[in-house]
């Protein structure tokens, strides 16, 4: 009985029930959205200190610059390769589905507050004031700061370093316990988030854009099950289904929050406690993954851009599809782990192939739903990556 009523299963039941609840009890669903917000805030509360302490503790735990370089390079190679595979899968699926042009959609209004350039993106990675990065929750900057200071600490006297290590290691353990408490609230939090979402947006838009939504869904499914499954099996030498069942709580939280960052505390907890990943691997690979490794987002952006092109009656040739693949990979790295981030960085991809940015307006209606799906794949990709890299960390 205890097994059936586990938090993982209760959360899944909560998601299933939340959809009809959101449809039939609109007002009530919107009224209880407060619970979801409290749940999200509690998760966010953990993120900043968790990233700082876990990256630092992992770097200090690896204990030599050569090993950090080794793990770092392996992680980056892994992340880049899987994201590229995801994008290619997306492109293949679209070519298979064949979107037809649909004039009725074009011309919908969409305006951007701010355009992002590659230069701004690169500059945004470098922290100038670590306290500001922490206060504003700039995740990539916190990671870069932690890596740099961690590597520098390896150069100072052992006795001084061990004080810092103990401090952050203790803090990290405490945060994991806190996360475990927050996880008890997941069924309620998730129920509230999804039901209020359904109440606000309804499920009609999905019907109108079903072919596009189906293409994204199929691509994500193929990548999550086949591509990542094979990588897990062949490179990581572990059973992907068994691993998925152990860590599923993180994927469910990713689905309902549509945020890799908010899911990070849960991913770290399940990877270490249930997935059998070493703490120093998870502590380094997961925070990095939550910010730069977004297989689902990259795949979605590629499909969305091809869909937008088709609406305007433009067919993208092989050369342009390669540009889409490259920029979608970059855009996914640049996307923050928050809801809707992928939609914004998609501007980079549209610009690269000269498509009208207004096209984004067309897909807006189904975006939150697809965001939930792609974020699940993003987080699953991070968790598979951690387990794979863990195999190579001695
Ligand atoms: N919501 C996604 C994430 O947090 C990013 C995106 O919008 O694609 O992983």
């Amino acid at each position: 009985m205890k097994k059936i009523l586990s938090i993982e299963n209760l959360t899944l039941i909560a998601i299933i029930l939340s959809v009809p609840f959101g449809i039939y009890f609109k007002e009530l669903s919107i009224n209880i959205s407060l619970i979801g917000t409290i749940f999200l805030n509690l998760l966010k509360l953990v993120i900043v200190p968790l990233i700082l302490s876990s990256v630092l503790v992992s770097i200090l735990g690896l204990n030599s610059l050569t090993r950090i370089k080794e793990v770092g390079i392996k992680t980056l190679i892994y992340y880049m390769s899987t994201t590229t595979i995801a994008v290619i899968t997306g492109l293949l699926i679209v070519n298979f589905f064949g979107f037809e042009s649909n004039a009725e959609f074009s011309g919908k209004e969409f305006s951007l507050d701010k355009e992002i350039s590659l230069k701004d993106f690169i500059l945004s990675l470098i922290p100038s004031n670590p306290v500001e990065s922490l206060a504003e929750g700039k995740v990539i900057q916190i990671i870069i700061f932690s890596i740099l200071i961690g590597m520098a600490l390896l150069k100072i006297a052992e006795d001084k370093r061990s004080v810092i290590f103990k401090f952050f290691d203790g803090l990290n353990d405490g945060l994991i316990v806190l996360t475990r408490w927050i996880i008890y609230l997941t069924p309620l939090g998730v129920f509230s988030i999804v039901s209020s979402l359904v109440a606000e947006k309804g499920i009609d838009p999905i019907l109108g854009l079903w072919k596009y939504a189906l293409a994204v869904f199929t691509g994500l499914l193929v990548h999550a099950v086949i591509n990542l499954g094979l990588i897990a099996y062949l490179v990581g030498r572990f059973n992907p289904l068994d691993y998925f069942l152990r860590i599923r709580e993180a994927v469910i939280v990713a689905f309902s929050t549509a945020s890799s960052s908010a899911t990070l505390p849960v991913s770290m907890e399940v990877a270490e406690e249930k997935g059998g990943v070493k703490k120093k691997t998870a502590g380094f690979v997961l925070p990095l993954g939550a910010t730069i490794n977004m297989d689902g987002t990259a795949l979605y952006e590629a499909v969305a851009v091809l869909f937008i092109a088709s609406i305007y009656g433009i067919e993208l040739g092989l050369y342009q599809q390669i540009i889409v693949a490259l920029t979608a990979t970059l855009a996914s790295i640049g996307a923050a782990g928050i809801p809707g981030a992928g939609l914004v960085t998609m501007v980079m991809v549209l610009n690269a192939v000269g498509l009208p940015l207004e096209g984004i307006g067309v897909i807006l209606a189904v975006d939150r739903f697809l965001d939930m799906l792609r974020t699940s794949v993003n987080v699953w990709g991070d968790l598979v990556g951690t387990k794979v890299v863990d195999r190579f960390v001695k």
Side-chain angles (χ1 to χ4, degrees):
M1 189 65 181
K2 190 159 178 266
K3 258 215 137 140
I4 298 175
L5 289 183
S6 65
I7 291 288
E8 288 92 337
N9 293 347
L10 285 176
T11 313
L12 200 63
I13 295 170
I15 289 199
I16 297 169
L17 293 181
S18 62
V19 177
F21 191 85
I23 297 174
Y24 295 111
F25 301 97
K26 261 197 175 142
E27 209 147 294
L28 187 58
S29 300
I30 293 174
N31 285 338
I32 59 163
S33 68
L34 180 74
I35 303 172
T37 312
I38 293 176
F39 171 66
L40 267 179
N41 284 355
L42 285 171
L43 282 175
K44 287 186 195 155
L45 164 89
V46 189
I47 301 170
V48 168
L50 185 69
I51 293 176
L52 177 69
S53 60
S54 60
V55 176
L56 206 53
V57 166
S58 302
I59 296 279
L60 294 178
L62 287 169
N63 211 7
S64 93
L65 292 183
T66 337
R67 296 204 33 218
I68 294 168
K69 209 166 84 190
E70 220 177 283
V71 178
I73 290 176
K74 276 177 191 150
T75 307
L76 289 181
I77 291 179
Y78 176 88
Y79 282 162
M80 288 304 289
S81 337
T82 49
T83 306
T84 311
I85 295 173
V87 172
I88 295 173
T89 307
L91 293 176
L92 289 177
I93 296 275
V94 174
N95 286 299
F96 176 76
F97 265 69
F99 293 137
E100 56 278 328
S101 70
N102 196 335
E104 134 197 17
F105 278 126
S106 53
K108 281 209 179 173
E109 293 284 317
F110 175 75
S111 68
L112 273 175
D113 309 341
K114 202 172 120 214
E115 283 204 29
I116 25 166
S117 69
L118 195 60
K119 190 175 136 214
D120 293 339
F121 167 61
I122 293 171
L123 280 178
S124 74
L125 302 180
I126 315 296
S128 59
N129 175 353
V131 179
E132 183 194 296
S133 315
L134 290 168
E136 294 188 0
K138 294 183 174 158
V139 177
I140 290 209
Q141 295 191 358
I142 301 173
I143 294 177
I144 291 183
F145 172 70
S146 314
I147 293 177
L148 288 176
I149 187 73
M151 294 199 309
L153 285 170
L154 287 177
K155 293 281 175 201
I156 69 166
E158 164 83 48
D159 59 329
K160 290 187 191 167
R161 180 169 70 233
S162 65
V163 178
I164 298 185
F165 180 79
K166 276 204 183 121
F167 174 81
F168 281 102
D169 198 32
L171 177 64
N172 193 255
D173 287 353
L175 288 164
I176 293 281
V177 174
L178 182 52
T179 303
R180 213 170 295 149
W181 292 345
I182 301 169
I183 289 178
Y184 286 126
L185 295 176
T186 343
L188 269 182
V190 160
F191 181 84
S192 151
I193 295 175
V194 180
S195 63
S196 57
L197 207 68
V198 172
E200 267 167 33
K201 311 217 159 163
I203 45 172
D204 296 346
I206 298 170
L207 305 178
L209 289 162
W210 71 271
K211 200 166 183 186
Y212 158 66
L214 187 67
V216 175
F217 177 76
T218 312
L220 291 174
L221 195 67
V222 168
H223 184 67
V225 177
I226 302 178
N227 300 348
L228 291 176
L230 281 175
I231 290 171
Y233 198 68
L234 299 175
V235 189
R237 299 280 161 82
F238 61 90
N239 179 336
L241 183 63
D242 175 60
Y243 183 61
F244 178 81
L245 290 175
R246 286 165 192 267
I247 59 83
R248 66 185 187 280
E249 182 72 8
V251 177
I252 300 173
V253 171
F255 177 81
S256 38
T257 60
S259 166
S260 302
S261 288
T263 310
L264 182 62
V266 184
S267 314
M268 307 243 319
E269 207 268 343
V270 293
E272 288 169 23
E273 303 291 323
K274 299 189 175 148
V277 179
K278 289 188 276 294
K279 187 175 170 182
K280 61 182 170 213
T281 316
F284 175 72
V285 181
L286 278 178
L288 203 63
T291 26
I292 66 164
N293 182 46
M294 300 200 179
D295 296 0
T297 299
L299 186 152
Y300 141 85
E301 291 194 2
V303 176
V305 167
L306 261 59
F307 177 68
I308 290 173
S310 75
I311 286 171
Y312 288 97
I314 302 165
E315 208 173 309
L316 299 181
L318 182 66
Y319 171 69
Q320 279 161 315
Q321 293 201 19
I322 292 175
I323 294 187
V324 169
L326 288 176
T327 44
T329 305
L330 278 181
S332 75
I333 296 173
I338 54 172
L343 191 75
V344 179
T345 61
M346 190 155 65
V347 171
M348 260 168 78
V349 192
L350 290 171
N351 269 336
V353 283
L355 284 170
L357 303 186
E358 290 73 28
I360 293 183
V362 179
I363 55 172
L364 221 47
V366 282
D367 201 66
R368 176 61 192 227
F369 170 65
L370 296 180
D371 199 0
M372 295 160 92
L373 296 175
R374 67 189 187 248
T375 308
S376 310
V377 176
N378 290 345
V379 168
W380 169 232
D382 298 339
L383 282 157
V384 171
T386 311
K387 186 82 179 157
V388 170
V389 173
D390 194 46
R391 190 187 151 217
F392 300 99
V393 176
K394 276 163 248 122

